[in-house]
Amino acid sequence: MALSETLLPLVLSNLPIILPLLLLLHLALIYTHNSLHKFPGPLLPSLSNVYRFFIVLRQRPELWHQSLHRKYGPVVRLGPNSLMFSSPTSLKAIYGLNKGFVKSDFYIVQQAVVKGERLESLFSTTDNNFHSQFRRCVSSAFAMSALVQYEPFVDNTTKLFLRQTENLFAGKEEGCDFTRWLQFYAFDVIGEITYSKRHGFIENNEDVDGIVSYLSKLFLYVAPVGQMPVLDTLLLKNPIYLKLSQWGLLDSTFPVAKFARDRMAERIPDVDSESLLPVSSTGLPGAGPQQPDLLSKFLAAKEKRPDFMTSAEVQTMAVSMAFAGSETTAITLSAVFYYLLRNPPALEALRREIDSFAREGRFSDYETGLVTWHEAQKLGYLDAVVKEAFRMHPAPGLPLERVVPEPGVEIDGRWVKGGTVVGVSAWVMHRNEDVFGDGAEAFRPERWLPDPAKVAAGEEEEAKRIKNMDGHMLQFGMGSRTCIGKNISLLEIYKVVPSLLRRFEIRLHDPSQEWKLVNAWFVKQNNFQANFEKRPLVMPEGGISEEKV
Ligand code: HEM
């Protein structure tokens, strides 16, 4: 008798037992994958990424991450192949330079598709070699020393922003959707720094080409799908879609990419050094002072390294500026104002600082209220407020995932096998009381200032405490993949916050209303309505000198 004749009926008759056994075996293999069963964590997420997908879909995963660490300690198993850490030492182990970690597939979900091909950006590439070459090509455009060149662009947009805030919202009882208004500001500043041309959000007080809502929707997709990247190959990057895109039958180019393409077309026709210079905001070449903008620097990098930087890299870089630099800056600005309005003593202290600076005649502009980067550097309480807002509300709301290199590494004294996805969440790290002191849940800018009582006991200790806090801030990431646009965003934030406070009294439209957070990779605020009243500029006590007007 053939084996199949005896075995098949046996298997079939025992299916009700065999199937559950196979399922159990399968689950046991997942559970023990990479020996991750040795790490604490809830059972269901360790068996399938579906659990995490739904948590992120519900848009407040940072609360889940915080509660997991409270319950399980400094390392938690977050999925079949992923761990989340929270200790200060894990930061260096995971994000330290030259450790060989690469970004996880979460970032591949964020890659755009152009003509059926995935487009790797500086932000989304998972290839360390490609990344380091790319970063080297463009890094000088983002150096602190380049800021001086961008300040006139930020000034243009900020002055318009102040004017429009007065025209559109001052004295209006209905107030304004502050987060949205700050988003318009951030998009226009980035447009101006990148192309010397604003998109027109502030002028028109509208979401030009639906860019803001497109980006929001994209992040709502990226965040949950990034928990199960395989879904992306069934959804936005499915083979049919890729083919249609390759054949040109489907053009899903993001509106910012179209804007970038048009600006490049204006400059690329004859690429000599003259044509790399930007056209002015009016769009007329030669009108107004010419400053090098980011696009001109990316084009110059293309000239210098044609073997690496093609037009595609230039365009990707230009588009990344809007992708990575607008929402994140707007979120931070919203956080600064929300926490100030919710904490009147902090708002009062900042006003006092700005007003006495004005009374001493230390601002250069007493007409529009604009504050220069150089002046803002001298406002110590402003610095404390901005840092505290970054701490309380870091823009990235998910762990910054990295893949452990083979054969594995030791993190916090525990061996983690190669291939495991690990990460730290800024929302967890920033509330670590060992680093940030007691009451880390509360907004208290004073924690960033030397405590006068302790200074008496030795200034060095206080300086060390503050430096240590600085070293554990994760809002810009850490290590080789740290935010390249950090200086640009700081330039915007440190200028526009005091400028707005010089010009306006700002209050919450309805203090009984809390803002509503949506964590879709970046933690955006909704329901933040504010009212503006015009405020006379505080003048210097000794009168105003001619050149300061
Ligand atoms: C407050 C504002 C900003 C915040 C909170 C922020 C946050 C971040 C974070 C957390 C990362 C690292 C992501 C990771 O490791 O997974 C990053 C990378 C990056 N950011 Fe920003 N960012 C801000 C502003 C900007 C601006 C203004 C620009 C452009 C002008 C920009 C461009 C980039 C780019 C290109 C990268 C990728 C860098 C690399 O991988 O080498 N960001 N940003």
Side-chain angles (χ1 to χ4, degrees):
M1 200 186 284
L3 192 61
S4 62
E5 280 176 39
T6 50
L7 202 59
L8 197 63
L10 196 69
V11 169
L12 286 177
S13 62
N14 285 299
L15 263 189
I17 299 168
I18 292 172
L19 281 182
L21 276 179
L22 282 178
L23 182 68
L24 270 181
L25 181 68
H26 177 66
L27 291 176
L29 287 176
I30 295 176
Y31 186 64
T32 55
H33 173 74
N34 265 357
S35 306
L36 295 187
H37 58 287
K38 294 178 187 155
F39 294 90
L43 181 66
L44 283 180
S46 68
L47 296 177
S48 166
N49 284 325
V50 172
Y51 193 94
R52 220 164 72 236
F53 172 86
F54 280 107
I55 290 274
V56 176
L57 199 65
R58 287 170 61 191
Q59 302 179 345
R60 293 304 304 275
E62 80 287 4
L63 298 179
W64 186 59
H65 297 146
Q66 288 168 345
S67 73
L68 286 179
H69 278 297
R70 271 196 299 273
K71 183 162 178 193
Y72 295 100
V75 52
V76 182
R77 185 174 186 184
L78 208 59
N81 189 34
S82 86
L83 296 174
M84 182 172 60
F85 286 84
S86 73
S87 73
T89 47
S90 64
L91 273 186
K92 302 247 160 22
I94 297 171
Y95 305 104
L97 294 174
N98 304 320
K99 300 269 183 188
F101 287 73
V102 293
K103 282 193 169 180
S104 72
D105 289 354
F106 169 64
Y107 294 88
I108 293 182
V109 176
Q110 302 182 44
Q111 291 175 358
V113 171
V114 176
K115 299 212 174 79
E117 297 287 333
R118 288 161 187 222
L119 207 62
E120 289 187 80
S121 69
L122 189 70
F123 188 93
S124 67
T125 182
T126 57
D127 177 341
N128 277 355
N129 185 32
F130 175 81
H131 173 264
S132 59
Q133 289 209 57
F134 204 166
R135 185 135 178 161
R136 232 174 291 133
C137 284
V138 296
S139 63
S140 65
F142 298 90
M144 204 60 174
S145 53
L147 279 202
V148 202
Q149 297 171 339
Y150 306 135
E151 189 160 6
F153 295 124
V154 182
D155 285 351
N156 281 345
T157 309
T158 309
K159 280 186 192 162
L160 175 71
F161 184 65
L162 293 171
R163 244 186 354 259
Q164 283 290 74
T165 305
E166 183 173 329
N167 293 341
L168 297 169
F169 306 117
K172 303 271 164 62
E173 196 30 52
E174 64 277 17
C176 95
D177 179 339
F178 205 4
T179 304
R180 188 176 157 90
W181 188 230
L182 290 167
Q183 231 172 348
F184 287 179
Y185 170 76
F187 265 99
D188 267 342
V189 174
I190 284 295
E192 184 137 10
I193 293 181
T194 311
Y195 315 104
S196 306
K197 196 163 188 155
R198 284 190 291 273
H199 292 84
F201 290 95
I202 304 174
E203 271 102 339
N204 304 308
N205 184 22
E206 70 173 33
D207 181 5
V208 181
D209 296 333
I211 289 173
V212 171
S213 63
Y214 180 98
L215 207 58
S216 295
K217 280 190 208 132
L218 190 71
F219 288 136
L220 282 170
Y221 170 84
V222 159
V225 171
Q227 310 307 304
M228 297 183 73
V230 66
L231 284 182
D232 193 36
T233 52
L234 303 172
L235 300 167
L236 274 188
K237 297 196 182 79
N238 73 69
I240 301 169
Y241 174 86
L242 294 184
K243 268 284 165 237
L244 291 175
S245 163
Q246 198 180 357
W247 293 333
L249 296 173
L250 213 149
D251 180 16
S252 60
T253 315
F254 177 38
V256 164
K258 288 191 181 126
F259 192 84
R261 211 167 47 195
D262 295 347
R263 301 288 79 74
M264 278 178 72
E266 283 168 9
R267 291 192 210 175
I268 270 188
D270 52 328
V271 187
D272 56 36
S273 59
E274 277 303 303
S275 68
L276 296 184
L277 274 173
V279 291
S280 77
S281 264
T282 60
L284 299 172
Q290 304 242 316
Q291 286 283 119
D293 54 17
L294 280 172
L295 181 55
S296 67
K297 297 202 174 200
F298 301 152
L299 287 167
K302 174 173 177 280
E303 287 281 278
K304 208 165 147 200
R305 280 289 312 274
D307 55 313
F308 180 81
M309 286 282 284
T310 66
S311 295
E313 269 75 40
V314 173
Q315 191 181 343
T316 313
M317 211 48 224
V319 175
S320 292
M321 299 300 91
F323 260 101
S326 300
E327 186 106 326
T328 45
T329 305
I331 286 171
T332 306
L333 285 170
S334 288
V336 169
F337 284 108
Y338 186 78
Y339 280 112
L340 281 176
L341 297 181
R342 283 266 169 230
N343 295 275
L347 178 59
E348 200 39 52
L350 181 55
R351 276 214 182 288
R352 259 200 315 277
E353 177 175 69
I354 295 171
D355 288 352
S356 63
F357 204 84
R359 249 177 250 112
E360 288 161 20
R362 296 170 72 188
F363 286 120
S364 49
D365 178 321
Y366 282 89
E367 197 187 0
T368 68
L370 191 74
V371 175
T372 68
W373 168 247
H374 184 67
E375 289 156 4
Q377 296 312 293
K378 297 185 184 122
L379 300 171
Y381 198 75
L382 171 70
D383 187 48
V385 164
V386 172
K387 283 185 172 141
E388 186 68 347
F390 268 132
R391 189 187 70 78
M392 289 295 290
H393 193 106
L398 293 170
L400 305 176
E401 291 185 2
R402 301 291 187 266
V403 182
V404 173
E406 294 295 346
V409 291
E410 199 176 283
I411 306 175
D412 274 357
R414 315 266 315 246
W415 183 254
V416 183
K417 284 194 178 167
T420 308
V421 173
V422 293
V424 179
S425 160
W427 282 76
V428 173
M429 181 51 68
H430 288 192
R431 277 156 173 79
N432 185 320
E433 299 210 329
D434 293 338
V435 177
F436 297 101
D438 293 344
E441 283 295 332
F443 178 80
R444 200 172 62 80
E446 285 69 18
R447 78 177 78 241
W448 293 96
L449 301 171
D451 179 342
K454 289 186 185 155
V455 168
E459 188 154 1
E460 248 174 45
E461 281 308 303
E462 274 300 86
K464 250 193 236 162
R465 178 184 67 79
I466 294 168
K467 193 166 169 224
N468 185 46
M469 293 198 297
D470 249 329
H472 291 91
M473 293 286 281
L474 203 51
Q475 75 276 15
F476 288 115
M478 205 172 256
S480 63
R481 306 302 296 266
T482 192
C483 178
I484 202 168
K486 174 180 166 181
N487 295 333
I488 291 179
S489 71
L490 296 180
L491 175 69
E492 294 175 48
I493 294 164
Y494 280 79
K495 282 172 71 73
V496 78
V497 171
S499 301
L500 267 175
L501 289 175
R502 283 181 79 192
R503 282 278 294 265
F504 301 99
E505 293 290 349
I506 310 172
R507 63 178 169 81
L508 290 167
H509 180 68
D510 178 358
S512 70
Q513 294 269 319
E514 296 272 327
W515 63 6
K516 199 169 166 297
L517 301 185
V518 172
N519 182 349
W521 178 204
F522 298 123
V523 190
K524 201 175 148 187
Q525 306 94 340
N526 287 334
N527 199 32
F528 177 19
Q529 197 79 10
N531 287 77
F532 296 83
E533 293 296 336
K534 236 177 104 178
R535 181 177 194 256
L537 283 184
V538 174
M539 290 293 164
E541 263 160 2
I544 196 163
S545 61
E546 270 300 293
E547 78 269 17
K548 279 197 170 161
V549 181

